[in-house]
Amino acid sequence: NADGSYVSLLKEGEKLTGAPGESKYPSMGYILGSVKLWDDFMFDSPNIDKKYRDESKVLYSDRVKYGTPETFTAVDWDLFCYDSPSRRRASFDYATEFANIVTSATGAADLEQKWRAWIDSQNSIVQPVLDELNAIN
């Protein structure tokens, strides 16, 4: 606009996020649901509902206000940096593993069954690492 404000190019009544057929980007809803806008433009974008922009600004403001070294959980660097042959064997590409389980399942019950089976199948790899970590503490 002449006053320097942004103008939405969405059609009148069109939403940026929402149900398929009712919005321009239906898959974006889960991102906005987290109320975290990820760049400066999104804080001013008229395509993002003002309540989301305002909530996100409060979130970042509160992080600065309340985020002190005393408010964060202390990191046990021995555990965080722990390494061993067992630990290296227990490294999985969790995104791929989970995607394989989800895409091979035929329904919710089957998904649960495949997930439990995957956990059981990995126990012999994971348990030695858990035992080592528990021995440290």
Side-chain angles (χ1 to χ4, degrees), residues 15-31:
K15 295 179 182 178
L16 187 67
T17 65
E22 297 177 7
S23 62
K24 186 166 184 163
Y25 303 112
S27 64
M28 213 174 145
Y30 79 94
I31 295 171

Side-chain angles (χ1 to χ4, degrees), residues 78-119:
D78 290 333
L79 292 176
F80 186 82
C81 299
Y82 181 75
D83 188 33
S84 74
S86 296
R87 167 65 183 92
R88 287 189 294 279
R89 274 192 301 280
S91 295
F92 304 105
D93 179 358
Y94 290 99
T96 300
E97 296 283 341
F98 190 66
N100 289 337
I101 293 168
V102 170
T103 56
S104 68
T106 58
D110 188 40
L111 177 62
E112 178 74 20
Q113 183 180 8
K114 288 182 183 287
W115 174 245
R116 298 283 175 209
W118 183 84
I119 290 173

Side-chain angles (χ1 to χ4, degrees), residues 1 6 14 18 29 32 39 41 45 65 72 76 85 115 117 130:
N1 279 340
Y6 292 106
E14 182 179 32
L32 293 178
D39 64 25
F41 176 72
S45 173
K65 182 177 176 182
F72 292 101
D76 183 337
W115 174 245
L130 294 175

